[in-house]
Amino acid sequence: MVLEDGSIGRAAVPSGASTGAHEAVELRDGDKKRYLGKGVQKAVEAVNGEIFGALSDQAVEEQVQIDQIMIDLDGTPNKARLGANAILGVSLACAKAAAESFDMPLYRYVGGTSARTLPVPMMNIINGGVHADNPIDFQEFMILPVGAASFAEALRCGSEIFHTLRGELKKAGHNTNVGDEGGFAPNLPSADAALEFVVSAIGKAGYTAGKDVMLGLDCAATEFFKDGAYVYGGENKTRSRSEQAKYLADLVARYPIISIEDGMSKTTWTAGRN
């Protein structure tokens, strides 16, 4: 919430090692002598200054109006002036404060009085790319427990697969350290190798891949798109735009993948026609 001194409390803001080329800007200070350039004093100043001044007389329940005021105040297409971390922090704090004012849990306040379901979780269990120091070029390999009857059962399913995967990786001689996002970061040579381990773990945990559990990828392809081609450093291969599209289609044909995030560079719109 916005406190009397203008500071923000109880609103954690998501942050990641990999950001898309067109994503909102997470404002950092850039002073290498402080937090290696990752400090957020500029964002904090925006919260305590301009944003507080613009919102101090707003009703906390007016979420849409609050968000629009901050977007207009920033005045850029990607929140680069005030910082998405400042704007999102305030937005989340306002939502939480409003929920508490109605003595409601946040999910019910946001979802409405009839809210009673949660989405199928996408659980990141193998990391690569910038999230891990290993040869895998894709950033995240996820499982989606679509066959679970409830969120609790989906969580149980994911946990059992995660720990089964740990055992399988350890048995094969791989380390079971985790990457930035909490998934394992084994030294596997390719996406295929990672997917094979995941499918095997699903089966050994007592579930059926393609029925109980589906797969998802976050390729973060922009990270390895260089000079008009996709450079797979771990595989020592380079794929053209059309080859990248065909490669993803081939993976979908061979594995129960139902979600692919950032499979192509953010500037590649016609890969299938190249």
Side-chain angles (χ1 to χ4, degrees), residues 25-46:
V25 173
E26 182 183 32
L27 188 63
R28 299 288 187 157
D29 297 335
D31 181 359
K32 297 298 183 182
K33 296 180 180 178
R34 187 174 184 278
Y35 291 106
L36 303 178
K38 297 294 185 180
V40 292
Q41 287 185 327
K42 292 179 182 177
V44 172
E45 288 173 4

Side-chain angles (χ1 to χ4, degrees), residues 63-122:
Q63 188 74 45
V64 173
Q65 184 175 345
I66 286 170
D67 291 345
Q68 191 60 54
I69 287 172
M70 289 191 288
I71 290 170
D72 293 341
L73 182 66
D74 175 80
T76 70
N78 59 356
K79 303 175 179 63
R81 193 177 74 81
L82 298 176
N85 41 342
I87 292 171
L88 179 56
V90 174
S91 181
L92 285 171
C94 289
K96 290 180 179 181
E100 289 193 12
S101 74
F102 288 109
D103 195 27
M104 296 170 65
L106 181 62
Y107 78 88
R108 189 172 294 281
Y109 172 74
V110 173
T113 55
S114 298
R116 57 174 58 87
T117 60
L118 290 170
V120 174
M122 299 176 70

Side-chain angles (χ1 to χ4, degrees), residues 157 160-161 164 200-209 212-213:
C157 171
E160 291 173 354
I161 294 170
T164 300
S200 175
I202 291 171
K204 291 187 177 181
Y207 300 95
T208 302
D212 303 316
V213 183

Side-chain angles (χ1 to χ4, degrees), residues 112 119 199 271:
V199 170

Side-chain angles (χ1 to χ4, degrees), residues 32 74 127 133 184 198 251:
K32 297 298 183 182
D74 175 80
N127 287 173
D133 186 17
F184 298 114
V198 172
L251 290 178

Side-chain angles (χ1 to χ4, degrees), residues 226-242:
K226 301 173 183 177
D227 298 324
Y230 296 88
V231 181
Y232 285 72
E235 298 181 29
N236 195 27
K237 289 182 180 178
T238 298
R239 293 182 170 94
S240 68
R241 291 178 174 89
S242 59

